[in-house]
PDB file of all heavy atoms in Angstrom:
ATOM      1  N   GLY N 148     -13.491   2.934 -10.479  1.00 97.00           N
ATOM      2  CA  GLY N 148     -13.010   2.657 -11.828  1.00 97.00           C
ATOM      3  C   GLY N 148     -13.870   3.182 -12.943  1.00 97.00           C
ATOM      4  O   GLY N 148     -13.522   3.041 -14.115  1.00 97.00           O
ATOM      5  N   VAL N 149     -15.004   3.798 -12.626  1.00 97.00           N
ATOM      6  CA  VAL N 149     -15.935   4.297 -13.641  1.00 97.00           C
ATOM      7  C   VAL N 149     -15.640   5.773 -13.919  1.00 97.00           C
ATOM      8  O   VAL N 149     -15.670   6.603 -13.000  1.00 97.00           O
ATOM      9  CB  VAL N 149     -17.402   4.139 -13.191  1.00 97.00           C
ATOM     10  CG1 VAL N 149     -18.352   4.622 -14.285  1.00 97.00           C
ATOM     11  CG2 VAL N 149     -17.701   2.697 -12.803  1.00 97.00           C
ATOM     12  N   SER N 150     -15.380   6.109 -15.169  1.00 96.00           N
ATOM     13  CA  SER N 150     -15.162   7.491 -15.571  1.00 96.00           C
ATOM     14  C   SER N 150     -16.493   8.237 -15.571  1.00 96.00           C
ATOM     15  O   SER N 150     -17.437   7.837 -16.260  1.00 96.00           O
ATOM     16  CB  SER N 150     -14.550   7.534 -16.980  1.00 96.00           C
ATOM     17  OG  SER N 150     -14.502   8.863 -17.463  1.00 96.00           O
ATOM     18  N   LEU N 151     -16.555   9.319 -14.804  1.00 96.00           N
ATOM     19  CA  LEU N 151     -17.810  10.071 -14.664  1.00 96.00           C
ATOM     20  C   LEU N 151     -17.555  11.563 -14.759  1.00 96.00           C
ATOM     21  O   LEU N 151     -16.438  12.038 -14.541  1.00 96.00           O
ATOM     22  CB  LEU N 151     -18.459   9.759 -13.307  1.00 96.00           C
ATOM     23  CG  LEU N 151     -18.862   8.292 -13.088  1.00 96.00           C
ATOM     24  CD1 LEU N 151     -19.179   8.046 -11.626  1.00 96.00           C
ATOM     25  CD2 LEU N 151     -20.044   7.944 -13.969  1.00 96.00           C
ATOM     26  N   THR N 152     -18.615  12.299 -15.061  1.00 95.00           N
ATOM     27  CA  THR N 152     -18.566  13.756 -15.081  1.00 95.00           C
ATOM     28  C   THR N 152     -19.199  14.285 -13.804  1.00 95.00           C
ATOM     29  O   THR N 152     -20.299  13.874 -13.420  1.00 95.00           O
ATOM     30  CB  THR N 152     -19.334  14.306 -16.303  1.00 95.00           C
ATOM     31  OG1 THR N 152     -18.731  13.777 -17.486  1.00 95.00           O
ATOM     32  CG2 THR N 152     -19.293  15.824 -16.337  1.00 95.00           C
ATOM     33  N   VAL N 153     -18.497  15.188 -13.145  1.00 96.00           N
ATOM     34  CA  VAL N 153     -19.004  15.807 -11.909  1.00 96.00           C
ATOM     35  C   VAL N 153     -20.133  16.764 -12.266  1.00 96.00           C
ATOM     36  O   VAL N 153     -19.979  17.619 -13.132  1.00 96.00           O
ATOM     37  CB  VAL N 153     -17.868  16.557 -11.178  1.00 96.00           C
ATOM     38  CG1 VAL N 153     -18.403  17.314  -9.962  1.00 96.00           C
ATOM     39  CG2 VAL N 153     -16.755  15.597 -10.781  1.00 96.00           C
ATOM     40  N   VAL N 154     -21.294  16.619 -11.609  1.00 96.00           N
ATOM     41  CA  VAL N 154     -22.411  17.532 -11.881  1.00 96.00           C
ATOM     42  C   VAL N 154     -22.563  18.599 -10.799  1.00 96.00           C
ATOM     43  O   VAL N 154     -23.194  19.614 -11.025  1.00 96.00           O
ATOM     44  CB  VAL N 154     -23.753  16.778 -12.045  1.00 96.00           C
ATOM     45  CG1 VAL N 154     -23.720  15.870 -13.255  1.00 96.00           C
ATOM     46  CG2 VAL N 154     -24.119  15.997 -10.800  1.00 96.00           C
ATOM     47  N   ASP N 155     -21.964  18.348  -9.653  1.00 94.00           N
ATOM     48  CA  ASP N 155     -22.026  19.321  -8.555  1.00 94.00           C
ATOM     49  C   ASP N 155     -20.785  19.123  -7.713  1.00 94.00           C
ATOM     50  O   ASP N 155     -20.425  17.989  -7.388  1.00 94.00           O
ATOM     51  CB  ASP N 155     -23.294  19.099  -7.721  1.00 94.00           C
ATOM     52  CG  ASP N 155     -23.498  20.185  -6.691  1.00 94.00           C
ATOM     53  OD1 ASP N 155     -23.025  21.316  -6.919  1.00 94.00           O
ATOM     54  OD2 ASP N 155     -24.098  19.904  -5.644  1.00 94.00           O
ATOM     55  N   SER N 156     -20.118  20.214  -7.358  1.00 94.00           N
ATOM     56  CA  SER N 156     -18.861  20.108  -6.622  1.00 94.00           C
ATOM     57  C   SER N 156     -18.831  21.132  -5.499  1.00 94.00           C
ATOM     58  O   SER N 156     -19.197  22.294  -5.685  1.00 94.00           O
ATOM     59  CB  SER N 156     -17.689  20.361  -7.579  1.00 94.00           C
ATOM     60  OG  SER N 156     -16.472  20.365  -6.880  1.00 94.00           O
ATOM     61  N   SER N 157     -18.420  20.681  -4.323  1.00 92.00           N
ATOM     62  CA  SER N 157     -18.174  21.586  -3.204  1.00 92.00           C
ATOM     63  C   SER N 157     -17.007  21.027  -2.418  1.00 92.00           C
ATOM     64  O   SER N 157     -16.458  19.969  -2.767  1.00 92.00           O
ATOM     65  CB  SER N 157     -19.427  21.729  -2.324  1.00 92.00           C
ATOM     66  OG  SER N 157     -19.844  20.469  -1.839  1.00 92.00           O
ATOM     67  N   LYS N 158     -16.604  21.686  -1.362  1.00 90.00           N
ATOM     68  CA  LYS N 158     -15.414  21.267  -0.625  1.00 90.00           C
ATOM     69  C   LYS N 158     -15.590  19.848  -0.088  1.00 90.00           C
ATOM     70  O   LYS N 158     -16.528  19.578   0.654  1.00 90.00           O
ATOM     71  CB  LYS N 158     -15.144  22.241   0.520  1.00 90.00           C
ATOM     72  CG  LYS N 158     -13.829  21.971   1.213  1.00 90.00           C
ATOM     73  CD  LYS N 158     -13.504  23.046   2.218  1.00 90.00           C
ATOM     74  CE  LYS N 158     -12.163  22.733   2.865  1.00 90.00           C
ATOM     75  NZ  LYS N 158     -11.756  23.759   3.809  1.00 90.00           N
ATOM     76  N   ASN N 159     -14.672  18.961  -0.493  1.00 93.00           N
ATOM     77  CA  ASN N 159     -14.646  17.565  -0.028  1.00 93.00           C
ATOM     78  C   ASN N 159     -15.917  16.788  -0.363  1.00 93.00           C
ATOM     79  O   ASN N 159     -16.251  15.812   0.326  1.00 93.00           O
ATOM     80  CB  ASN N 159     -14.387  17.483   1.481  1.00 93.00           C
ATOM     81  CG  ASN N 159     -13.120  18.209   1.871  1.00 93.00           C
ATOM     82  OD1 ASN N 159     -12.206  18.357   1.064  1.00 93.00           O
ATOM     83  ND2 ASN N 159     -13.071  18.678   3.092  1.00 93.00           N
ATOM     84  N   LYS N 160     -16.607  17.193  -1.413  1.00 96.00           N
ATOM     85  CA  LYS N 160     -17.867  16.547  -1.759  1.00 96.00           C
ATOM     86  C   LYS N 160     -18.160  16.782  -3.237  1.00 96.00           C
ATOM     87  O   LYS N 160     -17.856  17.843  -3.781  1.00 96.00           O
ATOM     88  CB  LYS N 160     -18.983  17.179  -0.914  1.00 96.00           C
ATOM     89  CG  LYS N 160     -20.289  16.441  -0.909  1.00 96.00           C
ATOM     90  CD  LYS N 160     -21.357  17.227  -0.151  1.00 96.00           C
ATOM     91  CE  LYS N 160     -20.945  17.541   1.271  1.00 96.00           C
ATOM     92  NZ  LYS N 160     -22.010  18.246   2.024  1.00 96.00           N
ATOM     93  N   PHE N 161     -18.752  15.799  -3.890  1.00 97.00           N
ATOM     94  CA  PHE N 161     -19.157  15.968  -5.284  1.00 97.00           C
ATOM     95  C   PHE N 161     -20.321  15.033  -5.576  1.00 97.00           C
ATOM     96  O   PHE N 161     -20.551  14.054  -4.868  1.00 97.00           O
ATOM     97  CB  PHE N 161     -17.987  15.689  -6.246  1.00 97.00           C
ATOM     98  CG  PHE N 161     -17.542  14.254  -6.254  1.00 97.00           C
ATOM     99  CD1 PHE N 161     -18.092  13.337  -7.142  1.00 97.00           C
ATOM    100  CD2 PHE N 161     -16.582  13.809  -5.361  1.00 97.00           C
ATOM    101  CE1 PHE N 161     -17.698  12.010  -7.143  1.00 97.00           C
ATOM    102  CE2 PHE N 161     -16.168  12.490  -5.358  1.00 97.00           C
ATOM    103  CZ  PHE N 161     -16.735  11.584  -6.248  1.00 97.00           C
ATOM    104  N   SER N 162     -21.039  15.334  -6.656  1.00 98.00           N
ATOM    105  CA  SER N 162     -22.162  14.501  -7.080  1.00 98.00           C
ATOM    106  C   SER N 162     -21.980  14.096  -8.534  1.00 98.00           C
ATOM    107  O   SER N 162     -21.346  14.808  -9.329  1.00 98.00           O
ATOM    108  CB  SER N 162     -23.486  15.262  -6.935  1.00 98.00           C
ATOM    109  OG  SER N 162     -23.695  15.626  -5.590  1.00 98.00           O
ATOM    110  N   VAL N 163     -22.543  12.941  -8.872  1.00 98.00           N
ATOM    111  CA  VAL N 163     -22.527  12.442 -10.247  1.00 98.00           C
ATOM    112  C   VAL N 163     -23.911  11.907 -10.576  1.00 98.00           C
ATOM    113  O   VAL N 163     -24.655  11.484  -9.689  1.00 98.00           O
ATOM    114  CB  VAL N 163     -21.472  11.329 -10.450  1.00 98.00           C
ATOM    115  CG1 VAL N 163     -20.065  11.892 -10.319  1.00 98.00           C
ATOM    116  CG2 VAL N 163     -21.694  10.167  -9.495  1.00 98.00           C
ATOM    117  N   ALA N 164     -24.255  11.936 -11.856  1.00 96.00           N
ATOM    118  CA  ALA N 164     -25.512  11.362 -12.333  1.00 96.00           C
ATOM    119  C   ALA N 164     -25.170  10.141 -13.169  1.00 96.00           C
ATOM    120  O   ALA N 164     -24.253  10.176 -13.990  1.00 96.00           O
ATOM    121  CB  ALA N 164     -26.290  12.386 -13.156  1.00 96.00           C
ATOM    122  N   ILE N 165     -25.902   9.064 -12.958  1.00 96.00           N
ATOM    123  CA  ILE N 165     -25.616   7.785 -13.610  1.00 96.00           C
ATOM    124  C   ILE N 165     -26.750   7.440 -14.568  1.00 96.00           C
ATOM    125  O   ILE N 165     -27.920   7.408 -14.164  1.00 96.00           O
ATOM    126  CB  ILE N 165     -25.470   6.659 -12.552  1.00 96.00           C
ATOM    127  CG1 ILE N 165     -24.409   7.020 -11.515  1.00 96.00           C
ATOM    128  CG2 ILE N 165     -25.165   5.324 -13.222  1.00 96.00           C
ATOM    129  CD1 ILE N 165     -23.013   7.146 -12.052  1.00 96.00           C
ATOM    130  N   ILE N 166     -26.398   7.167 -15.821  1.00 96.00           N
ATOM    131  CA  ILE N 166     -27.412   6.751 -16.799  1.00 96.00           C
ATOM    132  C   ILE N 166     -27.774   5.279 -16.558  1.00 96.00           C
ATOM    133  O   ILE N 166     -27.006   4.535 -15.935  1.00 96.00           O
ATOM    134  CB  ILE N 166     -26.929   6.974 -18.254  1.00 96.00           C
ATOM    135  CG1 ILE N 166     -25.701   6.101 -18.562  1.00 96.00           C
ATOM    136  CG2 ILE N 166     -26.639   8.451 -18.503  1.00 96.00           C
ATOM    137  CD1 ILE N 166     -25.285   6.112 -20.016  1.00 96.00           C
ATOM    138  N   PRO N 167     -28.929   4.832 -17.031  1.00 96.00           N
ATOM    139  CA  PRO N 167     -29.345   3.437 -16.811  1.00 96.00           C
ATOM    140  C   PRO N 167     -28.327   2.400 -17.272  1.00 96.00           C
ATOM    141  O   PRO N 167     -28.110   1.403 -16.586  1.00 96.00           O
ATOM    142  CB  PRO N 167     -30.653   3.332 -17.595  1.00 96.00           C
ATOM    143  CG  PRO N 167     -31.214   4.718 -17.570  1.00 96.00           C
ATOM    144  CD  PRO N 167     -30.011   5.623 -17.657  1.00 96.00           C
ATOM    145  N   TYR N 168     -27.665   2.620 -18.408  1.00 95.00           N
ATOM    146  CA  TYR N 168     -26.690   1.641 -18.904  1.00 95.00           C
ATOM    147  C   TYR N 168     -25.560   1.449 -17.889  1.00 95.00           C
ATOM    148  O   TYR N 168     -25.175   0.323 -17.576  1.00 95.00           O
ATOM    149  CB  TYR N 168     -26.116   2.070 -20.256  1.00 95.00           C
ATOM    150  CG  TYR N 168     -25.149   1.051 -20.818  1.00 95.00           C
ATOM    151  CD1 TYR N 168     -25.598   0.014 -21.623  1.00 95.00           C
ATOM    152  CD2 TYR N 168     -23.784   1.118 -20.502  1.00 95.00           C
ATOM    153  CE1 TYR N 168     -24.718  -0.941 -22.120  1.00 95.00           C
ATOM    154  CE2 TYR N 168     -22.899   0.164 -20.992  1.00 95.00           C
ATOM    155  CZ  TYR N 168     -23.379  -0.864 -21.793  1.00 95.00           C
ATOM    156  OH  TYR N 168     -22.503  -1.810 -22.259  1.00 95.00           O
ATOM    157  N   THR N 169     -25.008   2.557 -17.404  1.00 95.00           N
ATOM    158  CA  THR N 169     -23.917   2.471 -16.427  1.00 95.00           C
ATOM    159  C   THR N 169     -24.396   1.809 -15.144  1.00 95.00           C
ATOM    160  O   THR N 169     -23.686   0.982 -14.561  1.00 95.00           O
ATOM    161  CB  THR N 169     -23.363   3.875 -16.128  1.00 95.00           C
ATOM    162  OG1 THR N 169     -22.916   4.466 -17.360  1.00 95.00           O
ATOM    163  CG2 THR N 169     -22.200   3.831 -15.148  1.00 95.00           C
ATOM    164  N   TYR N 170     -25.592   2.146 -14.711  1.00 96.00           N
ATOM    165  CA  TYR N 170     -26.149   1.557 -13.491  1.00 96.00           C
ATOM    166  C   TYR N 170     -26.257   0.039 -13.623  1.00 96.00           C
ATOM    167  O   TYR N 170     -25.906  -0.704 -12.708  1.00 96.00           O
ATOM    168  CB  TYR N 170     -27.526   2.173 -13.223  1.00 96.00           C
ATOM    169  CG  TYR N 170     -28.179   1.715 -11.936  1.00 96.00           C
ATOM    170  CD1 TYR N 170     -27.868   2.336 -10.727  1.00 96.00           C
ATOM    171  CD2 TYR N 170     -29.107   0.681 -11.933  1.00 96.00           C
ATOM    172  CE1 TYR N 170     -28.467   1.927  -9.545  1.00 96.00           C
ATOM    173  CE2 TYR N 170     -29.709   0.271 -10.758  1.00 96.00           C
ATOM    174  CZ  TYR N 170     -29.386   0.899  -9.576  1.00 96.00           C
ATOM    175  OH  TYR N 170     -29.979   0.483  -8.397  1.00 96.00           O
ATOM    176  N   GLU N 171     -26.708  -0.435 -14.769  1.00 95.00           N
ATOM    177  CA  GLU N 171     -26.924  -1.871 -14.972  1.00 95.00           C
ATOM    178  C   GLU N 171     -25.642  -2.645 -15.225  1.00 95.00           C
ATOM    179  O   GLU N 171     -25.551  -3.831 -14.904  1.00 95.00           O
ATOM    180  CB  GLU N 171     -27.888  -2.104 -16.155  1.00 95.00           C
ATOM    181  CG  GLU N 171     -29.323  -1.715 -15.856  1.00 95.00           C
ATOM    182  CD  GLU N 171     -29.915  -2.472 -14.672  1.00 95.00           C
ATOM    183  OE1 GLU N 171     -29.587  -3.668 -14.488  1.00 95.00           O
ATOM    184  OE2 GLU N 171     -30.689  -1.863 -13.916  1.00 95.00           O
ATOM    185  N   HIS N 172     -24.626  -2.006 -15.828  1.00 96.00           N
ATOM    186  CA  HIS N 172     -23.424  -2.721 -16.252  1.00 96.00           C
ATOM    187  C   HIS N 172     -22.206  -2.491 -15.361  1.00 96.00           C
ATOM    188  O   HIS N 172     -21.088  -2.884 -15.732  1.00 96.00           O
ATOM    189  CB  HIS N 172     -23.099  -2.369 -17.707  1.00 96.00           C
ATOM    190  CG  HIS N 172     -24.100  -2.924 -18.669  1.00 96.00           C
ATOM    191  ND1 HIS N 172     -25.263  -2.253 -18.988  1.00 96.00           N
ATOM    192  CD2 HIS N 172     -24.142  -4.096 -19.351  1.00 96.00           C
ATOM    193  CE1 HIS N 172     -25.957  -2.987 -19.844  1.00 96.00           C
ATOM    194  NE2 HIS N 172     -25.300  -4.110 -20.071  1.00 96.00           N
ATOM    195  N   THR N 173     -22.397  -1.857 -14.223  1.00 97.00           N
ATOM    196  CA  THR N 173     -21.320  -1.675 -13.248  1.00 97.00           C
ATOM    197  C   THR N 173     -21.868  -2.034 -11.871  1.00 97.00           C
ATOM    198  O   THR N 173     -23.053  -2.357 -11.731  1.00 97.00           O
ATOM    199  CB  THR N 173     -20.810  -0.215 -13.218  1.00 97.00           C
ATOM    200  OG1 THR N 173     -21.830   0.631 -12.654  1.00 97.00           O
ATOM    201  CG2 THR N 173     -20.441   0.288 -14.612  1.00 97.00           C
ATOM    202  N   ASN N 174     -21.014  -1.943 -10.862  1.00 96.00           N
ATOM    203  CA  ASN N 174     -21.520  -2.240  -9.515  1.00 96.00           C
ATOM    204  C   ASN N 174     -22.106  -1.006  -8.822  1.00 96.00           C
ATOM    205  O   ASN N 174     -22.292  -1.012  -7.603  1.00 96.00           O
ATOM    206  CB  ASN N 174     -20.460  -2.935  -8.651  1.00 96.00           C
ATOM    207  CG  ASN N 174     -19.223  -2.096  -8.402  1.00 96.00           C
ATOM    208  OD1 ASN N 174     -19.203  -0.901  -8.672  1.00 96.00           O
ATOM    209  ND2 ASN N 174     -18.181  -2.737  -7.898  1.00 96.00           N
ATOM    210  N   PHE N 175     -22.433   0.033  -9.598  1.00 97.00           N
ATOM    211  CA  PHE N 175     -23.122   1.185  -8.998  1.00 97.00           C
ATOM    212  C   PHE N 175     -24.454   0.763  -8.379  1.00 97.00           C
ATOM    213  O   PHE N 175     -24.911   1.355  -7.415  1.00 97.00           O
ATOM    214  CB  PHE N 175     -23.337   2.301 -10.027  1.00 97.00           C
ATOM    215  CG  PHE N 175     -22.386   3.444  -9.831  1.00 97.00           C
ATOM    216  CD1 PHE N 175     -21.172   3.464 -10.496  1.00 97.00           C
ATOM    217  CD2 PHE N 175     -22.680   4.482  -8.965  1.00 97.00           C
ATOM    218  CE1 PHE N 175     -20.276   4.499 -10.311  1.00 97.00           C
ATOM    219  CE2 PHE N 175     -21.792   5.530  -8.761  1.00 97.00           C
ATOM    220  CZ  PHE N 175     -20.577   5.527  -9.435  1.00 97.00           C
ATOM    221  N   LYS N 176     -25.073  -0.282  -8.934  1.00 95.00           N
ATOM    222  CA  LYS N 176     -26.363  -0.726  -8.383  1.00 95.00           C
ATOM    223  C   LYS N 176     -26.224  -1.270  -6.967  1.00 95.00           C
ATOM    224  O   LYS N 176     -27.220  -1.444  -6.265  1.00 95.00           O
ATOM    225  CB  LYS N 176     -27.016  -1.769  -9.297  1.00 95.00           C
ATOM    226  CG  LYS N 176     -26.177  -2.973  -9.633  1.00 95.00           C
ATOM    227  CD  LYS N 176     -26.904  -3.864 -10.645  1.00 95.00           C
ATOM    228  CE  LYS N 176     -25.999  -4.883 -11.270  1.00 95.00           C
ATOM    229  NZ  LYS N 176     -25.063  -4.331 -12.241  1.00 95.00           N
ATOM    230  N   ASN N 177     -24.981  -1.533  -6.520  1.00 95.00           N
ATOM    231  CA  ASN N 177     -24.738  -2.023  -5.158  1.00 95.00           C
ATOM    232  C   ASN N 177     -24.265  -0.928  -4.208  1.00 95.00           C
ATOM    233  O   ASN N 177     -23.968  -1.204  -3.047  1.00 95.00           O
ATOM    234  CB  ASN N 177     -23.693  -3.147  -5.187  1.00 95.00           C
ATOM    235  CG  ASN N 177     -24.126  -4.303  -6.067  1.00 95.00           C
ATOM    236  OD1 ASN N 177     -25.302  -4.628  -6.129  1.00 95.00           O
ATOM    237  ND2 ASN N 177     -23.188  -4.901  -6.766  1.00 95.00           N
ATOM    238  N   ILE N 178     -24.157   0.293  -4.707  1.00 97.00           N
ATOM    239  CA  ILE N 178     -23.682   1.392  -3.855  1.00 97.00           C
ATOM    240  C   ILE N 178     -24.860   2.028  -3.135  1.00 97.00           C
ATOM    241  O   ILE N 178     -25.795   2.519  -3.758  1.00 97.00           O
ATOM    242  CB  ILE N 178     -22.913   2.443  -4.682  1.00 97.00           C
ATOM    243  CG1 ILE N 178     -21.651   1.813  -5.294  1.00 97.00           C
ATOM    244  CG2 ILE N 178     -22.539   3.639  -3.814  1.00 97.00           C
ATOM    245  CD1 ILE N 178     -20.858   2.739  -6.192  1.00 97.00           C
ATOM    246  N   GLU N 179     -24.788   2.000  -1.813  1.00 97.00           N
ATOM    247  CA  GLU N 179     -25.821   2.600  -0.959  1.00 97.00           C
ATOM    248  C   GLU N 179     -25.162   3.643  -0.074  1.00 97.00           C
ATOM    249  O   GLU N 179     -23.941   3.717   0.003  1.00 97.00           O
ATOM    250  CB  GLU N 179     -26.453   1.523  -0.072  1.00 97.00           C
ATOM    251  CG  GLU N 179     -26.938   0.301  -0.806  1.00 97.00           C
ATOM    252  CD  GLU N 179     -27.370  -0.801   0.151  1.00 97.00           C
ATOM    253  OE1 GLU N 179     -26.793  -0.896   1.265  1.00 97.00           O
ATOM    254  OE2 GLU N 179     -28.283  -1.554  -0.218  1.00 97.00           O
ATOM    255  N   VAL N 180     -25.983   4.411   0.625  1.00 98.00           N
ATOM    256  CA  VAL N 180     -25.457   5.388   1.579  1.00 98.00           C
ATOM    257  C   VAL N 180     -24.592   4.657   2.600  1.00 98.00           C
ATOM    258  O   VAL N 180     -24.972   3.611   3.128  1.00 98.00           O
ATOM    259  CB  VAL N 180     -26.608   6.149   2.270  1.00 98.00           C
ATOM    260  CG1 VAL N 180     -26.079   7.006   3.419  1.00 98.00           C
ATOM    261  CG2 VAL N 180     -27.347   7.017   1.251  1.00 98.00           C
ATOM    262  N   GLY N 181     -23.400   5.189   2.838  1.00 98.00           N
ATOM    263  CA  GLY N 181     -22.459   4.586   3.777  1.00 98.00           C
ATOM    264  C   GLY N 181     -21.412   3.699   3.113  1.00 98.00           C
ATOM    265  O   GLY N 181     -20.400   3.367   3.736  1.00 98.00           O
TER     266      GLY N 181
END
Side-chain angles (χ1 to χ4, degrees):
V149 182
S150 172
L151 298 167
T152 301
V153 175
V154 296
D155 187 27
S156 176
S157 58
K158 187 173 181 178
N159 305 334
K160 193 186 303 183
F161 67 91
S162 300
V163 292
I165 305 296
I166 63 172
Y168 182 89
T169 302
Y170 184 84
E171 289 301 324
H172 291 86
T173 69
N174 62 12
F175 255 91
K176 55 185 166 287
N177 302 324
I178 297 177
E179 309 172 329
V180 171

